[in-house]
Amino acid sequence: MSALTCQTVRKISHMSLRIALLGLLSTSGPASGYDLTKMVDRSVSHVWHARHSQIYPELAKMAADGVITVDAQGPRGRKIYRITESGTADMREWLVHHPPSTAVRSEWALQAFLLPVLDPDEALGVLDRMRQSIRTTLAALEAAEGDYRARWAAKERPLGEYAFDLGLRHTRMLVQWVEDTEADVRRRAGAGPGGVRGTAGP
Amino acid sequence: MSALTCQTVRKISHMSLRIALLGLLSTSGPASGYDLTKMVDRSVSHVWHARHSQIYPELAKMAADGVITVDAQGPRGRKIYRITESGTADMREWLVHHPPSTAVRSEWALQAFLLPVLDPDEALGVLDRMRQSIRTTLAALEAAEGDYRARWAAKERPLGEYAFDLGLRHTRMLVQWVEDTEADVRRRAGAGPGGVRGTAGP
DNA sequence: CAGATCATGTAAATTGTTACATGATTCT
DNA sequence: AGAATCATGTAACAATTTACATGATCTG
């Protein structure tokens, strides 16, 4: 097995887009670039965002590396890709052995980070925008939750139920953070320079 | 003002690294590339990760764009940068008017997403690794919390108190998610294909 | 048949990573 | 003097975004 896959042993380390696509192909069955783009938009993009202009070239590279093959050709150059055994092995290897990078890059959190440079009223403006935005997201997720359970009940077994749960928890945490932070900014604005803020209620 | 800054009105949209550096310079006062690299490592990197090899060229571009200036030159080509008025304006503009991108790219969440492709015992292995890793992170954050409060009490007013709180909440949420997910995987493994899992306890 | 959308791609620019390279200063 | 670390950069490559480009198929 190691002899057969030695070409693909290279750097499995990053290339998370590849892994995401392999994951989708492994549960959905054969699919085209267009199909995968839509699948990504509807599901994985909540955890790993990608555009079609990145997906098409990546699929070509994946086929060249043998982790997927062209299963069939449709009408207008439409290529249907299927995951290979080597692809399945790569994906499982990454999942089981790759310690996920903790490197974060979140504009949301960056704005939180920089909030103290603003005057209280400006900060409250930013927080207000955040609150509206995150409440919209929460509403969308809660609406999707019913749909999700229906698909589950219909035995569709969509990938990503745990990630969906994680997203929901994350969103609820953000709503709470925004509200607590707003309250804190207000309290301080009223009280002048005060003591240290509590970071979490009991 | 708009006439003065028209050159920098360009695309403030992304360039978050630039904003992060401007934020640090605006509270720390003048600093060198090396200083900023260390500051990034100790603080913003929890929110926006960057290496020195990206920071040095970015500082050069920022100086060329006039958002920072070389304030002084130290011994070995050490350049001390200072934020300009235009830089302050850009940073505030981004903070107040740029709706933060919600695009996520998290290897952690991607592994969560793909968890269902694994057998229960493999999934439990992955979750176990996650639990250990996240508990370590939580311990580090909780240790840093005391330090943080001390610095606050000493009037250092380090940037990022709200982001620190956000990070702590995020980490606690992850610990809870890992534990609940482990329990769920175990429950299902024992019970065979079951119903839909509850996404959050009351 | 016109407009929507399906469907696939490429090009250029930006952003980020890894590795390489180098010399100065401080500590023992 | 030798080791550690301070300090600054560059080069090559990989990942990502934005914009451009094009033609097919379906719907009313």
Side-chain angles (χ1 to χ4, degrees):
Chain A
M1 174 188 169
S2 59
L4 285 170
T5 57
C6 64
Q7 287 187 319
T8 51
V9 163
R10 294 157 299 110
K11 281 187 280 183
I12 315 278
S13 41
H14 286 81
M15 57 163 89
S16 311
L17 171 58
R18 171 170 299 202
I19 301 296
L21 294 172
L22 289 174
L24 289 175
L25 280 171
S26 83
T27 33
S28 76
S32 69
Y34 189 77
D35 297 335
L36 284 165
T37 300
K38 276 189 301 180
M39 282 189 237
V40 166
D41 284 348
R42 279 194 268 102
S43 59
V44 223
S45 75
H46 298 298
V47 301
W48 200 274
H49 182 85
R51 309 273 165 106
H52 83 272
S53 58
Q54 199 187 353
I55 292 171
Y56 283 111
E58 180 63 24
L59 287 170
K61 269 195 269 175
M62 288 164 74
D65 289 346
V67 296
I68 58 178
T69 48
V70 177
D71 194 57
Q73 304 243 106
R76 50 203 122 165
R78 181 188 171 98
K79 287 191 267 304
I80 311 291
Y81 295 101
R82 170 193 296 276
I83 190 170
T84 64
E85 275 183 41
S86 147
T88 307
D90 276 11
M91 179 190 61
R92 296 173 73 91
E93 164 68 20
W94 184 88
L95 256 182
V96 174
H97 292 300
H98 174 72
S101 150
T102 54
V104 172
R105 209 163 268 130
S106 155
E107 290 194 359
W108 238 87
L110 181 56
Q111 294 203 340
F113 184 86
L114 295 176
L115 224 42
V117 310
L118 296 178
D119 310 325
D121 57 318
E122 283 178 312
L124 287 173
V126 172
L127 285 166
D128 191 58
R129 172 163 53 63
M130 285 177 157
R131 185 164 38 74
Q132 281 179 250
S133 145
I134 198 64
R135 283 233 180 109
T136 304
T137 305
L138 182 58
L141 282 177
E142 282 174 345
E145 201 180 354
D147 187 62
Y148 207 88
R149 286 172 188 244
R151 282 202 285 158
W152 181 265
K155 310 283 178 195
E156 265 193 58
R157 304 292 131 125
L159 208 54
E161 36 165 345
Y162 294 128
F164 187 89
D165 178 31
L166 182 58
L168 203 48
R169 287 171 189 235
H170 183 242
T171 308
R172 287 183 178 139
M173 184 273 291
L174 288 182
V175 169
Q176 194 60 50
W177 175 84
V178 168
E179 288 174 358
D180 291 352
T181 303
E182 274 184 326
D184 191 74
V185 170
R186 273 211 191 84
R187 187 173 57 67
R188 276 200 211 165
V196 179
R197 169 204 197 203
T199 50
Chain B
M1 175 187 168
S2 58
L4 286 171
T5 56
C6 63
Q7 286 186 322
T8 52
V9 163
R10 295 157 297 112
K11 279 187 280 182
I12 314 278
S13 40
H14 285 81
M15 53 164 89
S16 311
L17 171 59
R18 171 170 300 205
I19 301 296
L21 293 173
L22 289 174
L24 288 175
L25 280 171
S26 82
T27 32
S28 75
S32 69
Y34 189 75
D35 297 334
L36 284 165
T37 300
K38 275 189 302 181
M39 283 188 240
V40 165
D41 283 348
R42 278 195 267 101
S43 58
V44 224
S45 76
H46 296 299
V47 142
W48 199 272
H49 182 85
R51 308 273 165 105
H52 83 272
S53 58
Q54 199 186 353
I55 292 170
Y56 283 111
E58 181 62 26
L59 286 170
K61 270 196 267 173
M62 288 164 76
D65 289 346
V67 296
I68 58 178
T69 49
V70 177
D71 194 57
Q73 303 241 108
R76 51 202 122 165
R78 180 189 171 97
K79 288 193 265 303
I80 312 292
Y81 295 101
R82 169 193 295 277
I83 190 170
T84 64
E85 275 183 40
S86 148
T88 307
D90 276 11
M91 179 190 62
R92 296 173 74 90
E93 164 69 20
W94 184 87
L95 257 182
V96 174
H97 292 301
H98 172 72
S101 149
T102 54
V104 173
R105 207 163 270 128
S106 154
E107 290 194 358
W108 237 86
L110 180 56
Q111 293 204 342
F113 184 87
L114 296 177
L115 224 42
V117 309
L118 296 178
D119 310 325
D121 57 320
E122 282 179 312
L124 287 173
V126 172
L127 284 165
D128 191 58
R129 172 163 52 61
M130 286 177 157
R131 185 163 39 73
Q132 282 179 250
S133 143
I134 197 65
R135 284 231 179 111
T136 304
T137 304
L138 181 58
L141 283 177
E142 283 175 343
E145 202 179 353
D147 187 62
Y148 207 87
R149 286 174 187 243
R151 281 202 285 159
W152 181 264
K155 311 283 177 196
E156 267 193 56
R157 305 291 132 124
L159 208 55
E161 38 167 342
Y162 293 128
F164 187 89
D165 178 30
L166 182 57
L168 203 48
R169 288 171 189 234
H170 184 242
T171 307
R172 287 183 177 138
M173 184 274 292
L174 288 182
V175 169
Q176 194 61 50
W177 175 86
V178 168
E179 288 173 359
D180 290 352
T181 303
E182 274 184 326
D184 191 74
V185 170
R186 273 211 191 84
R187 189 175 55 68
R188 277 200 211 162
V196 178
R197 169 205 198 204
T199 51

